[in-house]
Amino acid sequence: MLDRVVDRGVEQLGSPLVIDRPSRHLRLVIHLALQFLERSYYLNSLYGRSSNTEDPMHVFVTGASGWVGRGLVPELTAGGHKVTGLARSDTAARSLRAMGAEARPGSLDDLDVLRDAAASCDGVVHLAFKHDMFFAGDVAAATDADRAAINAFGETLAGTGKPFVMASGMLGVLGLPPGAVATERDGLTPDTAADTGPISGASGRMTNARHALTLAGHGVRSSIVRLPPATHGRGDNGFTTTAISFARQKGAAAYIGDGSNRWPAVHRDDAARLFRLAIESAPAGSVLHAVADEGVPIRTVAEAFAAQLRVPAVSVTTQQAGDYVGWLGGLWGIDGPASARITRDLLGWQPIQPGLIDDLQQGHYFT
């Protein structure tokens, strides 16, 4: 029984901690510590906040007018929190104000703005990333800018116990063999990073995510939320929408081989709720998975596209994939299911929105 409790505790803490044949005394100490954690005494004494806080917070959000941010801002305000979002443009600022948030003009390059915003708020959610620069090929500049922002937040929040929550990825970047179900324990050390994985430059982003977790050792309640590429919902402009656009242009919805490879998925609004739970109560050093569908076969996805677009669903080879799904070709054949069991046990998060296939069948992606 004690062994199971300790193993559960390591999962809940989202920690890369490894205990090699610990003594029974050490395991008993860990067990007692976990009892304190579960009763919220640990978090309350360390951070001055209950793990089930109802106290309103002032949260600074980067990427607040982006796809996930447009779900998170209403989620936070509905929970009684005040939100200030980083706004790169007047359009972004108007969008934030329309959602009931304040706008702070600036970009990820304005490090003094980031520091000042973090100092004046109760916590930070970092969603922004220079995706345009990354996908244009300037991977190093995009990841360097992200690292500089993380450092600016970390320096400002150090020793305060305030939360810092960062978005990260999971598909093809955790160094796992095809078909292995990714958990929150994976990808926590450099030797398991996807340095030679299918996504060029992904190792830099994963290094940044691991760096964010180290802030927990400097008095920051840091955590990361890993998002699947199929973070879907009405208004999506990401991977799913891109794949549909390619299928429409080609007149065929493609899958590779037998199409049995799987992608994890989550509805944007369920992901937004997880970010809220993380900023409110995730323990320092937590790795969280925003996963509702553990693994949806890509053939099933392609067939859903085909039914809505009235085009055939076709099997293609790996070499042909680029002709059918463009730059997604290197990703479309990845078999990368993922679990969120540890996340659900830790924070009580339960997805309630439609799954990916149900969402596609509603038709809003195709109008």
Side-chain angles (χ1 to χ4, degrees):
M1 174 65 181
L2 189 55
D3 288 349
R4 290 197 300 272
V5 170
V6 172
D7 289 340
R8 175 170 170 260
V10 172
E11 289 179 344
Q12 286 187 329
L13 290 172
S15 168
L17 173 68
V18 175
I19 303 174
D20 185 18
R21 296 185 179 179
S23 67
R24 183 170 183 80
H25 175 71
L26 176 58
R27 298 181 76 85
L28 181 59
V29 170
I30 296 173
H31 173 49
L32 293 174
L34 287 169
Q35 287 184 325
F36 276 98
L37 176 63
E38 290 179 348
R39 288 170 174 77
S40 303
Y41 299 145
Y42 174 80
L43 287 175
N44 195 42
S45 62
L46 183 59
Y47 301 122
R49 182 177 298 278
S50 167
S51 63
N52 292 303
T53 181
E54 294 182 359
D55 299 333
M57 302 172 68
H58 183 187
V59 183
F60 179 61
V61 182
T62 71
S65 61
W67 169 230
V68 176
R70 294 196 302 274
L72 176 59
V73 171
E75 176 72 27
L76 288 170
T77 57
H81 303 301
K82 177 182 177 181
V83 179
T84 296
L86 186 67
R88 290 191 301 167
S89 66
D90 290 341
T91 300
R94 287 193 295 270
S95 174
L96 290 172
R97 288 192 287 268
M99 291 187 287
E102 295 182 358
R104 181 70 180 262
S107 73
L108 288 185
D109 296 322
D110 298 318
L111 300 182
D112 286 340
V113 171
L114 302 186
R115 294 186 186 98
D116 184 66
S120 63
C121 290
D122 299 313
V124 175
V125 179
H126 180 38
L127 301 176
F129 185 76
K130 295 187 176 184
H131 291 98
D132 51 351
M133 183 179 291
F134 186 90
F135 287 114
D138 201 349
V139 172
T143 54
D144 287 350
D146 189 42
R147 182 63 167 258
I150 295 167
N151 285 337
F153 289 132
E155 292 162 4
T156 304
L157 298 176
T160 66
K162 292 180 181 180
F164 173 73
V165 184
M166 175 178 164
S168 186
M170 62 174 60
L171 184 72
V173 298
L174 301 179
L176 299 175
V181 179
T183 76
E184 294 87 338
R185 287 178 165 179
D186 295 313
L188 296 179
T189 55
D191 59 301
T192 59
D195 293 326
T196 58
I199 304 176
S200 176
S203 62
R205 292 204 69 186
M206 296 308 297
T207 298
N208 285 353
R210 290 193 298 271
H211 177 61
L213 292 177
T214 68
L215 299 179
H218 299 277
V220 181
R221 184 159 60 84
S222 62
S223 61
I224 63 172
V225 176
R226 291 175 178 162
L227 292 164
T231 299
H232 58 91
R234 191 176 295 273
D236 178 12
N237 58 355
F239 287 95
T240 304
T241 302
T242 300
I244 291 169
S245 177
F246 283 127
R248 181 180 281 114
Q249 293 171 18
K250 190 67 177 180
Y255 53 90
I256 297 175
D258 65 3
S260 61
N261 63 293
R262 297 154 294 171
W263 275 23
V266 70
H267 194 283
R268 189 274 309 271
D269 293 347
D270 284 326
R273 187 154 38 86
L274 179 56
F275 275 99
R276 176 180 61 78
L277 292 172
I279 198 73
E280 290 176 346
S281 61
S286 295
V287 177
L288 307 171
H289 276 192
V291 173
D293 294 318
E294 183 172 291
V296 183
I298 291 299
R299 178 169 181 165
T300 304
V301 175
E303 289 173 343
F305 292 175
Q308 293 288 334
L309 295 172
R310 301 181 185 276
V311 299
V314 299
S315 172
V316 301
T317 66
T318 301
Q319 293 72 25
Q320 294 172 318
D323 294 333
Y324 284 83
V325 291
W327 59 267
L328 285 174
L331 307 176
W332 206 233
I334 293 177
D335 188 21
S339 165
R341 182 176 63 83
I342 295 172
T343 297
R344 297 186 192 201
D345 288 347
L346 177 63
L347 296 182
W349 176 71
Q350 292 295 332
I352 60 174
Q353 298 295 332
L356 176 58
I357 299 303
D358 287 344
D359 202 13
L360 291 171
Q361 290 174 343
Q362 291 182 10
H364 59 84
Y365 270 99
F366 305 92
T367 56

